[in-house]
Amino acid sequence: MNPNSTLSPDRQEAAPPDRRSWLVRRGLLLESGPQRRLALGGFVNQLGTAAFLATAPLYAMRVIGLSVGQVGLGLGVAGVVGLLAGPPVGHLADRRGPNGVFLATLLIQTAAMVSLLFAHSFVAFMAAVAVTDLAGASGGAARGPMIRRFGGDEVPKFRSYLRSVAFLASTFGALAAGVVIQLDSSAAYRALIVANALTFLGCAAVLLRLPRLEPLPASTGSDRWLALKDRPYMAFVVLDGILWIQGEVVTYALPLWVVLHTEAPRWFTGVALAVNTVLVVLLQIRTSRGIKGGRLAGRATQRAGLAFLIGMGVIALAPGLPGWAAAAIMLAGVAVHTLGSLWHAAGSLELRFRLAPAHAQGQYSGMFGIGMGLCYTVAPALLGLLCLTWGAPGWLAMGTLFVAAGLAIPFVVRWAARSRELDA
């Protein structure tokens, strides 16, 4: 029994005032500590990366003088090289500690970005972007254990917050890229590259004061291919990679659908992207609440697949409608699709850490990154064939594929539970 309960209200001690800032109380800013530093570093890093990715092809063509084919080949080769780095570097982070490995990748990215200023040929351009992508993928694998261990018992919520921060940074980065593209000068493109290099150093400076994370003892040896041999996890990576294609629906398929197949005004593509970004930033943390454990995460992916099918089915109704009606119905479809992306991200990122052993988070994060990277490589061709070539039936076919992948993931979770310690 509380001894103060018998006291009169005027004699009870008043609760101490909450001196936290309004942003912290509302959940818009994390408490001071490692989580806030990791989020701030991610924001700075993503800000420069988003701006660079939007302008890299133009820099290669306008300043270096490469052809469209050379630019596509160079970026494609760089992307493949980056995908291969994740698991081995993640394994290194597991065995040596993630802090130093992550900081090293940021320094390598800085040097590679600066070297791009001196690239005057196709080979030099490809080498610079390949090293940048290689270090970026390696950094993602090393960052995974940091998220898992600094997140503690709130990993799903923390990872959702980081995703919202990344979306916000990408929006600001895209705006900066728009200014540079409008100026369309060699000096502007070069200035953006220098700014991106500085963001890598800024991220490193922020994360330098993080507490050092020591390697966790490996209970199953130091097999650097442990994740590759984990069949349930590999099945999850494949199915989840299919679901991550949903991110390209709004950014790639929808703009072309609007321009080529509907009467909606072209500026609607910007509105759709803005709505998608705002919903993710505002709702990602709230959506992730309560999604903790394999069973609930599996259900979230099931709901996500159904939402993708409904949203894409609605978007497919736009051709033949007047411009305003087409825009309105596609906006509704985008909203439903974004709700599915929120559920998918919450479930996916919970399972990413839940299915991975604690001592091999880096290696498993690298394998997870390969799944996401492959999806972004395949997405343009697949969405182009189904949604843009087949039309409405293709949108429904793609949505059905999302449903199938979402429905299959809970079975994979139960398969994984038989070989590792998971909640029911």
Side-chain angles (χ1 to χ4, degrees), residues 24-39:
V24 173
R25 292 197 304 270
R26 297 292 296 176
L28 301 177
L29 185 66
L30 296 174
E31 297 276 3
S32 178
Q35 289 190 4
R36 182 191 287 187
R37 285 194 171 276
L38 200 56

Side-chain angles (χ1 to χ4, degrees), residues 35-63:
Q35 289 190 4
R36 182 191 287 187
R37 285 194 171 276
L38 200 56
L40 177 59
F43 178 88
V44 174
N45 193 341
Q46 184 61 26
L47 181 68
T49 298
F52 170 72
L53 290 177
T55 57
L58 287 172
Y59 174 79
M61 290 187 289
R62 303 282 196 185
V63 179

Side-chain angles (χ1 to χ4, degrees), residues 193-263:
I193 288 176
V194 172
N196 188 28
L198 292 176
T199 63
F200 295 133
L201 292 178
C203 178
V206 170
L207 301 184
L208 195 60
R209 296 180 60 186
L210 281 175
R212 174 175 170 75
L213 296 174
E214 298 296 334
L216 294 177
S219 59
T220 57
S222 57
D223 186 358
R224 70 179 59 195
W225 305 114
L226 179 63
L228 190 61
K229 297 176 182 177
D230 189 337
R231 290 183 293 174
Y233 195 85
M234 292 304 298
F236 163 69
V237 167
V238 171
L239 293 171
D240 193 59
I242 292 172
L243 286 172
W244 277 111
I245 294 175
Q246 55 85 11
E248 296 292 292
V249 170
V250 175
T251 58
Y252 176 80
L254 182 67
L256 295 176
W257 181 251
V258 169
V259 173
L260 300 176
H261 296 278
T262 77
E263 299 298 325

Side-chain angles (χ1 to χ4, degrees), residues 92-183:
L92 179 65
D94 291 327
R95 302 283 66 82
R96 301 293 184 183
N99 300 62
V101 175
F102 189 28
L103 290 175
T105 64
L106 291 171
L107 296 179
I108 293 172
Q109 284 179 286
T110 302
M113 191 56 49
V114 172
S115 72
L116 194 58
L117 296 172
F118 306 96
H120 302 295
S121 67
F122 167 69
V123 173
F125 168 76
M126 183 172 62
V129 293
V131 173
T132 301
D133 282 7
L134 185 71
S138 301
R143 188 170 178 251
M146 301 172 74
I147 295 172
R148 177 66 182 89
R149 294 171 67 179
F150 285 129
D153 294 333
E154 297 289 336
V155 170
K157 180 180 178 181
F158 181 42
R159 189 59 185 84
S160 297
Y161 182 87
L162 294 179
R163 184 170 186 256
S164 299
V165 168
F167 259 78
L168 190 62
S170 296
T171 301
F172 288 130
L175 292 174
V179 174
V180 171
I181 292 172
Q182 180 64 35
L183 294 174

